[in-house]
């Protein structure tokens, strides 16, 4: 893999205290040093064009791209076997077991397992994704007793605060708001991240500007996404911020966003992502 560093000239692990004084920018935690104006302009350009390849992006080489495609194909076959809802909460060990037991899926090869392991443990800061990693074990599992399935959404939420917050949102905003994405285990995040990278010729940095790499998603520990009925795929775009649903979420104090507008975590604006 090309390990060219992206944004390390701007930030180390933490961010500059001076950033909190820049109008319109979200402060990061544990700030330690400032950035130079030219670096900030470069960062802004990258994020304004988050879905476009940028100089310095980490892109898989041909051999690794083949492994991405074969691993993704096998994960998709597991998803088809167990259903989309159940797939969201599968562990790494679960999918290996399905590969062994279902001929329609087929065993994961050693090369595929090593590839997935390597991606999980790769430092996403090198992609340009500067968020924390709340799930640090590839084999992390989600106990089913801690989950509740939300009717007519195909998604699960954790019992307790996540379920309570979602029910409060539904009570305040009514049936027009709905759960678009709930709990995502490591494997669900893998399939999303790999699919985005595959669609962009193995560009892992580009994928990370739209999707948290596996292990870095807070969907694994409680966060969830909401949308407005009738908006479709645009629920996962900046258009959602202009909807009546989003405006009401803001008015009722629910938009304590994980990735606010103009954040400095290397992630696009996600007005649909509810922080728990």
């Amino acid at each position: 893999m090309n390990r060219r560093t992206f944004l390390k000239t701007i930030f180390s692990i933490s961010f500059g205290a001076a950033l909190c004084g820049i109008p319109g920018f979200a402060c990061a935690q544990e700030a330690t040093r400032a950035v130079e104006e030219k670096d900030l302009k470069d960062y802004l350009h990258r994020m304004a064009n988050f879905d476009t390849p940028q100089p310095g992006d980490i892109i898989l080489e041909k051999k690794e791209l083949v492994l991405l495609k074969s691993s993704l194909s096998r994960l998709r076959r597991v998803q088809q076997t167990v259903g989309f809802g159940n797939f969201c909460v599968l562990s790494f060990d679960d999918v290996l077991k399905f590969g062994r037991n279902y001929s329609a899926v087929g065993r994961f090869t050693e090369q595929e397992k090593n590839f997935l392991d390597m991606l999980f443990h790769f430092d996403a800061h090198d992609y340009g994704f500067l968020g924390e990693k709340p799930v640090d074990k590839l084999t992390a599992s989600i106990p089913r007793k801690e989950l509740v399935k939300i009717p007519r959404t195909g998604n699960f939420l954790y019992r307790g605060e996540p379920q309570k917050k979602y029910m409060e949102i539904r009570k305040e905003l009514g049936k027009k708001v709905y759960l678009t994405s709930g709990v995502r285990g490591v494997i669900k995040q893998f399939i999303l991240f790999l699919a985005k990278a595959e669609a962009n010729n193995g560009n892992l940095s580009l994928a990370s500007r739209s999707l948290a790499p596996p292990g870095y998603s807070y969907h694994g520990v409680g966060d969830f996404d909401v949308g407005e009925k009738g908006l479709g795929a645009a629920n996962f775009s900046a258009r959602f911020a202009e909807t009546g649903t989003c405006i009401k979420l803001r008015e009722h104090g629910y938009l304590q966003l994980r990735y606010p507008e103009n954040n400095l975590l290397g992630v696009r604006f996600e007005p649909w992502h509810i922080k728990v």
Side-chain angles (χ1 to χ4, degrees):
M1 177 184 292
N2 188 331
R3 295 177 61 92
R4 289 174 297 176
T5 303
F6 168 44
L7 290 181
K8 279 193 172 179
T9 58
I10 305 178
F11 309 106
S12 54
I13 294 178
S14 51
F15 312 99
L19 297 179
C20 296
I22 298 174
F25 277 79
C27 296
Q29 295 180 348
E30 299 180 6
T32 58
R33 67 185 183 86
V35 300
E36 295 181 9
E37 184 178 357
K38 63 181 179 62
D39 294 325
L40 182 58
K41 287 181 178 179
D42 178 65
Y43 173 84
L44 289 173
H45 173 77
R46 291 175 182 276
M47 297 315 300
N49 300 277
F50 63 87
D51 221 16
T52 302
Q54 300 292 334
D57 280 355
I58 291 180
I59 302 172
L60 292 177
E61 296 176 356
K62 185 175 180 180
K63 182 178 179 180
E64 291 164 325
L65 185 56
V66 170
L67 282 173
L68 182 152
K69 291 176 180 292
S70 65
S71 300
L72 179 59
S73 177
R74 208 175 299 282
L75 290 174
R76 283 171 169 160
R77 294 201 293 273
V78 174
Q79 185 173 247
Q80 291 168 358
T81 300
V82 304
F84 281 75
N86 289 326
F87 185 82
C88 290
V89 296
L90 292 186
S91 70
F92 184 70
D93 289 337
D94 289 333
V95 297
L96 295 184
K97 183 177 179 180
F98 277 103
R100 291 193 300 268
N101 294 341
Y102 287 81
S103 59
V105 175
R107 287 177 178 268
F108 285 79
T109 68
E110 288 302 315
Q111 291 86 350
E112 289 167 347
K113 288 187 285 187
N114 290 337
F115 173 74
L116 295 174
D117 180 80
M118 181 269 293
L119 280 186
F120 182 83
H121 290 101
F122 187 79
D123 187 350
H125 291 174
D126 287 355
Y127 299 146
F129 184 94
L130 299 167
E132 297 177 345
K133 191 173 187 177
V135 181
D136 60 2
K137 292 184 178 180
L138 175 60
T139 56
S141 61
I142 301 171
R144 291 296 182 106
K145 65 181 180 180
E146 296 182 9
L147 305 177
V148 57
K149 193 165 188 177
I150 305 303
R152 296 180 294 279
T153 70
N155 285 291
F156 293 88
L157 287 175
Y158 279 103
R159 298 182 186 276
E161 186 61 26
Q163 181 187 10
K164 178 183 176 183
K165 179 169 282 194
Y166 177 67
M167 298 310 295
E168 287 175 353
I169 290 173
R170 290 275 289 180
K171 182 178 179 180
E172 295 279 2
L173 275 66
K175 295 181 179 179
K176 197 166 186 179
V177 64
Y178 73 107
L179 181 67
T180 55
S181 185
V183 176
R184 296 184 202 152
V186 168
I187 290 301
K188 176 64 175 181
Q189 201 64 26
F190 253 121
I191 203 171
L192 296 173
F193 186 74
L194 294 181
K196 183 69 174 180
E198 181 193 41
N200 290 278
N201 301 310
N203 190 325
L204 301 177
S205 293
L206 184 152
S208 76
R209 293 193 282 270
S210 291
L211 289 156
Y216 289 84
S217 173
Y218 277 84
H219 280 265
V221 294
D223 287 8
F224 57 89
D225 298 336
V226 295
E228 181 173 287
K229 287 187 177 179
L231 196 61
N235 276 314
F236 296 101
S237 74
R239 280 184 56 194
F240 178 71
E242 303 169 1
T243 65
T245 293
C246 191
I247 291 170
K248 288 180 180 179
L249 285 170
R250 187 178 298 111
E251 290 174 347
H252 287 280
Y254 290 112
L255 287 190
Q256 298 175 9
L257 299 179
R258 183 70 64 184
Y259 305 115
E261 192 169 12
N262 295 327
N263 71 81
L264 288 165
L265 295 173
V267 189
R268 63 174 173 155
F269 174 40
E270 293 193 354
W272 57 85
H273 185 124
I274 304 297
K275 179 180 177 180
V276 179

